[in-house]
Amino acid sequence: MLDTYLRLDRDIWLAEKVAPAPSLGHYLARLEKLNAEIESLSESHDVQSPHLSLVPGLPQTNDKRELESEEAIQRAVVELQINNNPKNAAEHEEFIANLTRQALKQWKLRWLTRRKQDTEEEVAKLSAAVQQLQSLYQQLDLLLGEVGGMETTHSELELQLDRARSYRDTLYGGELAWREAARLAQAAATLARAGRDSWHSLDNTTNLVTRFRVATDCRTTVQEAALCIHTAQVSLPAAMFPFCTLREISALLQMVDYIYTDLQIPERYMHALDVYTSFHKRASLLSNWIRQMMEDTIKKDVQDVDHRIMELTEKLSNERANIIRQQVIRTFLISTG
């Protein structure tokens, strides 16, 4: 019996270290938000696309999927003779921007779907971990139920431990949100740097196919970086971000709509380079700020409550083990007469 108790006690301690219950709650909430956002975007994704028949020289098509693709934008750039032509680019910038918005929505939908799939995998793993922990609790309760002397000896200690665990779960929920925001901000800084570098490399690039491909790379990396930061902001609604505010991100995403025409107009190309460079710097500062906030506040609180739980768990475990040991000795003495 003592060996069984010690094994269960160890397994429960190991299972509790990863805090599966608050983690599961965090990912279930994230999944709910993703489902709502995907549904909303899917509904708005059917917005009427611009009519190609309104643009001189561009063949007419009714294929909405084609209009939302990079191929449609590239074809429009070719047919409208926008490449390296500032005048034509300015004249048709709204049409190209509408095509780009459709492609951006399509890409955002793929990004959200990918996050949903990752979240569903985490939910499945954490659900299994929570069920395993509950099974261990049940086995422990059955074992302790067979041992006398447990009713009053540990009641106060168990209450203290339950309160500490409840507080820890609350802290873990907050820490998980900050930890996710930190990962997203770090990813945003990396992506923003890649987007800035792609845009900078276009300064000396003249080939149409290469220019379009690199501009598209810049568009997708900057958009993903902005989405990462926006998601981090949503996950921490009470935090006031000192860098990359919602207003900044909104302005950045609006600018990305015009990326293919900004590329053709020298002064706007340079302005965009300044914006993308600034975005990378501010995303990096935001990443550092979030990490520092975690180090200065949340991490210390979590460490303190973990230490308290460890102390209470060890004390309760030792007392239970002593009672079980005494019970085993009494049973042995009785059986040997």
Side-chain angles (χ1 to χ4, degrees):
M1 182 179 289
L2 181 59
D3 289 342
T4 302
Y5 169 75
L6 292 175
R7 176 183 59 78
L8 285 172
D9 189 58
R10 183 194 67 242
D11 290 346
I12 289 173
W13 182 77
L14 291 173
E16 285 182 339
K17 282 186 67 176
V18 298
S23 297
L24 178 59
H26 172 79
Y27 280 99
L28 284 172
R30 189 169 95 176
L31 184 60
E32 183 178 357
K33 291 178 182 178
L34 284 167
N35 282 330
E37 193 168 1
I38 288 171
E39 182 179 357
S40 176
L41 186 60
S42 297
E43 291 174 356
S44 67
H45 199 42
D46 292 328
V47 173
Q48 182 64 39
S49 299
H51 291 291
L52 293 176
S53 58
L54 300 178
V55 183
L58 197 61
Q60 186 174 354
T61 178
N62 293 318
D63 191 348
K64 185 179 295 185
R65 290 180 180 273
E66 181 183 1
L67 288 171
E68 294 171 343
S69 68
E70 280 74 17
E71 289 78 5
I73 303 171
Q74 186 173 14
R75 186 162 60 88
V77 169
V78 173
E79 295 292 339
L80 295 172
Q81 299 180 5
I82 285 175
N83 188 49
N84 284 316
N85 191 326
K87 181 180 178 181
N88 283 0
E91 181 180 351
H92 299 296
E93 67 175 358
E94 287 302 327
F95 177 76
I96 298 297
N98 283 334
L99 289 177
T100 305
R101 291 185 187 103
Q102 293 297 323
L104 288 168
K105 285 183 180 180
Q106 190 177 51
W107 191 91
K108 181 180 179 180
L109 190 58
R110 290 198 299 269
W111 185 77
L112 289 171
T113 301
R114 192 167 66 243
R115 277 181 58 81
K116 177 184 175 181
Q117 292 170 346
D118 293 341
T119 304
E120 288 174 335
E121 292 177 3
E122 289 296 328
V123 166
K125 289 190 295 185
L126 289 167
S127 295
V130 168
Q131 291 176 1
Q132 175 63 20
L133 182 56
Q134 290 175 340
S135 175
L136 290 171
Y137 283 145
Q138 291 172 356
Q139 294 176 54
L140 181 62
D141 288 342
L142 288 174
L143 179 65
L144 295 178
E146 299 174 4
V147 181
M150 294 284 187
E151 292 79 7
T152 59
T153 308
H154 308 107
S155 58
E156 180 58 31
L157 196 56
E158 288 176 352
L159 286 174
Q160 292 180 35
L161 183 57
D162 286 343
R163 286 195 293 266
R165 284 171 174 166
S166 178
Y167 179 53
R168 179 197 59 184
D169 287 352
T170 301
L171 285 179
Y172 273 19
E175 186 196 31
L176 285 167
W178 278 90
R179 199 185 304 163
E180 181 178 6
R183 287 195 299 266
L184 288 164
Q186 180 57 55
T190 302
L191 289 162
R193 182 181 64 228
R196 177 208 60 192
D197 292 347
S198 294
W199 189 252
H200 185 270
S201 70
L202 287 165
D203 191 25
N204 298 315
T205 305
T206 58
N207 179 268
L208 185 150
V209 175
T210 303
R211 279 162 64 84
F212 183 83
R213 176 181 57 78
V214 176
T216 300
D217 289 343
C218 175
R219 187 201 81 197
T220 54
T221 51
V222 170
Q223 182 191 18
E224 182 170 358
L227 290 173
C228 284
I229 289 178
H230 176 73
T231 303
Q233 291 167 329
V234 171
S235 68
L236 298 174
M240 297 294 293
F241 281 23
F243 311 100
C244 301
T245 63
L246 284 172
R247 185 174 180 178
E248 290 179 56
I249 296 302
S250 177
L252 178 72
L253 289 172
Q254 289 177 16
M255 185 172 180
V256 173
D257 293 343
Y258 296 90
I259 193 167
Y260 296 106
T261 48
D262 283 351
L263 176 59
Q264 321 304 335
I265 304 172
E267 58 271 21
R268 282 168 55 174
Y269 168 81
M270 293 306 300
H271 172 68
L273 179 60
D274 290 341
V275 171
Y276 297 146
T277 300
S278 175
F279 175 52
H280 167 241
K281 291 179 180 178
R282 292 179 69 77
S284 299
L285 289 170
L286 176 63
S287 178
N288 293 335
W289 178 80
I290 291 177
R291 287 202 305 271
Q292 193 61 47
M293 286 290 291
M294 291 180 64
E295 289 290 331
D296 293 344
T297 57
I298 299 172
K299 187 175 181 180
K300 182 180 182 302
D301 292 340
V302 170
Q303 288 175 340
D304 288 345
V305 73
D306 278 343
H307 181 69
R308 173 62 174 163
I309 288 175
M310 186 181 301
E311 289 180 337
L312 290 170
T313 300
E314 185 177 0
K315 186 175 181 180
L316 180 61
S317 178
N318 289 337
E319 290 191 7
R320 282 175 170 173
N322 286 334
I323 292 176
I324 293 173
R325 192 176 290 110
Q326 292 170 11
Q327 178 71 14
V328 170
I329 293 173
R330 283 196 299 270
T331 302
F332 174 77
L333 291 176
I334 292 172
S335 64
T336 58

